[in-house]
Amino acid sequence: MGFDFIYLAIVLVVILVSMVLHELMHGLVAYWLGDDTAKAQGRLTLNPLKHIDPFMSILLPMLLAISGGPVFGGAKPVQIDTRNLKFKEWGFALVAIAGPLTNLMLAFIGFVIGHVTGVIYQDVGFWTDFVSTFVLVNLGFCIFNLLPIPPLDGSRVLYAIMPDFVRRIMESMERWGIVIVFLLIMVFGVAFSSFMRDATTGILNAFEWIVW
């Protein structure tokens, strides 16, 4: 039982760090591309309270951790005024992809640390749990947020390459996007968990190929 509490504490810390850096990079890339909306709203900060969505950031990933499923989630979306962005739709896509790529890079850094120290290959207690959780949670955030469902980041990338009528459909889905995601998880939970595990395993195999 004590281990469970330690594990959940590790998950919570990793979620907060991963989520904050994910959203911060959205805001920074938008700022670099000419839009200061995120800065004006105080989102260019490491303060997790500015980024937390109670369900997506805390409740969902913690429930997944307790159930033993792949851990993923999201945060309060950074607001962007695309009219101010360089490259317009493509600028929006760059802002969107910055978040998942940050999580992918964090996961890779964690994997390299675990590889060099050996903690991912043998159980040395707390550090094995921490590094493995850090890698898996960041991969979960990366994969989940790349799904092409508004308002997840993958939809922003898709938006840049889709024709206007598809963009209008995606815009109409925007307000219901999180509800759709939640329903997909509830209805297709087993298949969704299988997809997340398979995608995570594929990326981990790529990491192993790179470091070896």
Side-chain angles (χ1 to χ4, degrees):
M1 183 64 69
F3 170 78
D4 290 341
F5 283 115
I6 293 173
Y7 171 65
L8 291 177
I10 291 172
V11 171
L12 181 59
V13 170
V14 171
I15 286 171
L16 291 176
V17 171
S18 306
M19 174 196 68
V20 167
L21 293 177
H22 176 112
E23 294 302 321
L24 178 60
M25 285 307 300
H26 281 318
L28 285 175
V29 173
Y31 185 69
W32 293 334
L33 291 176
D35 179 43
D36 64 353
T37 304
K39 181 179 181 181
Q41 294 179 346
R43 298 296 300 274
L44 301 188
T45 177
L46 292 173
N47 180 1
L49 296 178
K50 293 289 187 177
H51 305 292
I52 287 175
D53 175 272
F55 174 72
M56 294 294 291
S57 305
I58 303 297
L59 184 59
L60 175 61
M62 293 302 285
L63 288 175
L64 290 169
I66 292 170
S67 67
V71 178
F72 55 86
K76 186 164 54 177
V78 169
Q79 294 186 12
I80 307 296
D81 189 339
T82 55
R83 295 171 298 180
N84 297 330
L85 291 174
K86 298 175 183 176
F87 317 123
K88 302 306 176 184
E89 290 87 358
W90 289 106
F92 197 23
L94 290 173
V95 172
I97 202 69
L101 286 182
T102 297
N103 293 125
L104 182 62
M105 183 59 65
L106 289 172
F108 182 66
I109 292 171
F111 187 88
V112 170
I113 292 172
H115 171 77
V116 171
T117 61
V119 299
I120 60 173
Y121 303 115
Q122 55 184 335
D123 189 354
V124 293
F126 174 82
W127 289 111
T128 295
D129 294 336
F130 184 85
V131 172
S132 60
T133 300
F134 187 84
V135 172
L136 293 176
V137 167
N138 272 286
L139 287 181
F141 268 61
C142 173
I143 297 165
F144 177 71
N145 281 282
L146 283 176
L147 294 175
I149 304 172
L152 300 180
D153 297 326
S155 69
R156 314 302 194 192
V157 179
L158 196 63
Y159 186 87
I161 60 177
M162 288 292 104
D164 287 341
F165 78 94
V166 176
R167 292 177 184 175
R168 287 194 294 271
I169 294 173
M170 293 173 67
E171 287 170 355
S172 67
M173 292 174 58
E174 188 80 20
R175 62 182 297 186
W176 302 107
I178 294 300
V179 176
I180 294 171
V181 171
F182 180 70
L183 289 176
L184 285 174
I185 295 171
M186 294 294 293
V187 176
F188 302 104
V190 175
F192 191 78
S193 293
S194 179
F195 161 75
M196 293 293 295
R197 287 193 181 95
D198 289 346
T200 298
T201 299
I203 297 174
L204 288 174
N205 289 338
F207 284 176
E208 287 189 3
W209 180 81
I210 292 171
V211 298
W212 287 106

